[in-house]
Amino acid sequence: AEYMGSLIREPKREVGNNIRGGFGVFKSIMKITTVTILCLSIGVAVRSADVNYMRTMIQTHFSNTRHHQTNPSYKTAAKVAIFNEFQRLGLSTVYDIYNDPNYPNVEFANVVGWLKGHNFGKVNDKIVGVGAHYDTFSTTKGVDDNGGGVAGMLEVVRQTVALSRTNGGYGNTIMFAAFDGEEEGYTGSRDFVTKWLQTWLVQNYGSSATSLVPGGVIVMDTLMNYNNAPNSQTPPTGIQQGFPDTYNSIQADGFRGDFIALVYRGPDPNDSTLARAFQSAWSSAGRPQYKIQSFSIPTDNINTLLTVYTDLLRSDHRSFWKISYPGIFLTDSANYRGVMKNCFHQMCDNSSLLTADNLNFLGKTADVVTQVVNTMAVPTVPTTTTNKPANSASRLHEPKTLAAIILVISTVFLV
């Protein structure tokens, strides 16, 4: 910044001291132009997860109860904040307003935003989705459940839109949804998949709507509780029998709560494609202290899922699975880990969880989701990323040829 500032100030000195020194002025103008073109060509660098951004979003909008009865004003403010942030970041944004018969006098609303791909409106548009619920249980401040998930999703929006501006956009459309009513029986995601989405698809894809092949959805819920102390992780009942390899891996790690749980339906080819993409991206994202454990459910029968694997269906992905829509679920396991064993749905799920480890754990998850979305949406110009700590810039596009040529010219002739 100082260097650019000195270049901007330099022409005034040269004009003042060399009013007839045309070449000196030309050199200075060329320096400024060079810096400007380099900034545009090389990148506005796309940074990895900005932990300060996520911390601020949580503290400002998702650090108190967001419930229609116990704190309706804060919940409404959170909804509006998500809507405004979607718009500010560049998404087309609307509310999906719906009613819950259990609360006839309450208006519920999902917030939906999308980034159009080049295939928008066409039958070959494989829409990729990311979702997180913003409401809370009535007796909690909901920082981990699910302020972290919403902040992580907003970070994915921020990175994805920035990438789209440097990679020529995406082939496939990307949709983001902040769900209401998760704590009331997943009512928001249910309304979204059975009503709002169907109407929206017909409006924008016409007769092609019924022939679309979905890219899948990534549901983010309760993602910010990292604990590497031995025995901080309690496996849910049935995990040892149902997922022996995963259980053995957690046991070998000393039952530490140092991993993100990836849940998907093994027999579903689209779930498995998403899961493999996430696993690969996680492995290449560095920060090895933040681990991953995969739960490949050995059935896609919805009745079996709802009766046998209930602990793995405790979020909005179940609404998508009920209509056979592909998706994966990401979680820190909620009430089975560390402080959340006592603080799940309690007031101690609060801003005290905003530690560096927790935020960087969330940051890696946001980075990996971004990478998966970027891959599934098919960028026009393939992007190359490197991985550094989550609070530093880690996504730099390789220099364009034009930028490299300009850099050489400026070094030889303009120094």
Side-chain angles (χ1 to χ4, degrees), residues 88-393:
R88 185 186 73 83
L89 291 170
L91 301 183
S92 301
T93 309
V94 299
Y95 289 119
D96 163 23
I97 298 173
Y98 70 96
N99 298 110
D100 183 339
N102 294 316
Y103 306 99
N105 297 320
V106 178
E107 181 179 273
F108 292 85
N110 301 319
V111 187
V112 187
W114 60 91
L115 184 65
K116 290 182 180 179
H118 299 307
N119 298 328
F120 183 81
K122 303 174 184 176
V123 71
N124 59 332
D125 193 4
K126 299 183 71 171
I127 300 172
V128 182
V130 180
H133 76 90
Y134 71 90
D135 66 309
T136 69
F137 199 71
S138 60
T139 56
T140 181
K141 291 184 179 294
V143 167
D144 187 28
D145 182 18
N146 188 34
V150 179
M153 179 177 68
L154 290 173
E155 175 58 26
V156 175
V157 176
R158 186 187 72 82
Q159 290 191 40
T160 301
V161 173
L163 282 167
S164 75
R165 291 169 178 163
T166 58
N167 65 13
Y170 291 100
N172 297 323
T173 297
I174 307 168
M175 183 169 285
F176 298 89
F179 298 121
D180 199 353
E182 192 268 355
E183 302 290 2
E184 306 303 324
Y186 321 101
T187 58
S189 55
R190 183 171 66 239
D191 184 86
F192 173 80
V193 299
T194 61
K195 296 179 182 178
W196 186 90
L197 182 60
Q198 305 308 316
T199 301
W200 183 86
L201 289 173
V202 171
Q203 289 173 344
N204 291 284
Y205 295 81
S207 59
S208 298
T210 56
S211 301
L212 290 171
V213 177
V217 63
I218 302 171
V219 173
M220 308 170 69
D221 191 354
T222 317
L223 294 170
M224 202 175 59
N225 183 19
Y226 171 82
N227 194 320
N228 64 353
N231 300 310
S232 57
Q233 182 71 50
T234 301
T237 303
I239 293 299
Q240 184 173 8
Q241 293 75 29
F243 306 90
D245 291 342
T246 302
Y247 179 89
N248 291 338
S249 177
I250 296 170
Q251 183 181 48
D253 192 39
F255 292 106
R256 288 175 168 84
D258 57 1
F259 61 88
I260 195 74
L262 164 64
V263 181
Y264 63 101
R265 299 166 298 177
D268 187 287
N270 295 307
D271 278 20
S272 295
T273 297
L274 269 176
R276 285 193 299 270
F278 190 88
Q279 291 161 338
S280 175
W282 190 275
S283 297
S284 65
R287 293 158 276 181
Q289 70 273 32
Y290 307 126
K291 301 173 183 177
I292 184 172
Q293 297 289 352
S294 297
F295 296 81
S296 175
I297 303 176
T299 181
D300 56 2
N301 180 281
I302 189 60
N303 292 323
T304 305
L305 288 168
L306 292 173
T307 55
V308 178
Y309 298 96
T310 53
D311 265 326
L312 300 179
L313 272 82
R314 295 166 51 195
S315 193
D316 291 302
H317 60 297
R318 64 187 281 145
S319 296
F320 291 87
W321 287 1
K322 278 187 173 182
I323 63 167
S324 299
Y325 197 100
I328 61 175
F329 173 45
L330 305 176
T331 182
D332 61 22
S333 79
N335 55 309
Y336 291 101
R337 176 177 300 174
V339 66
M340 287 294 281
K341 292 180 183 180
N342 295 319
C343 292
F344 183 67
H345 287 176
Q346 302 300 317
M347 284 298 177
C348 52
D349 178 8
N350 58 31
S351 294
S352 65
L353 275 72
L354 294 174
T355 65
D357 260 341
N358 284 348
L359 285 164
N360 285 319
F361 179 52
L362 176 63
K364 180 173 180 178
T365 302
D367 284 347
V368 173
V369 172
T370 300
Q371 187 172 334
V372 173
V373 168
N374 180 71
T375 300
M376 300 297 290
V378 189
T380 302
V381 179
T383 55
T384 300
T385 62
T386 57
N387 292 289
K388 294 181 181 178
N391 57 356
S392 67

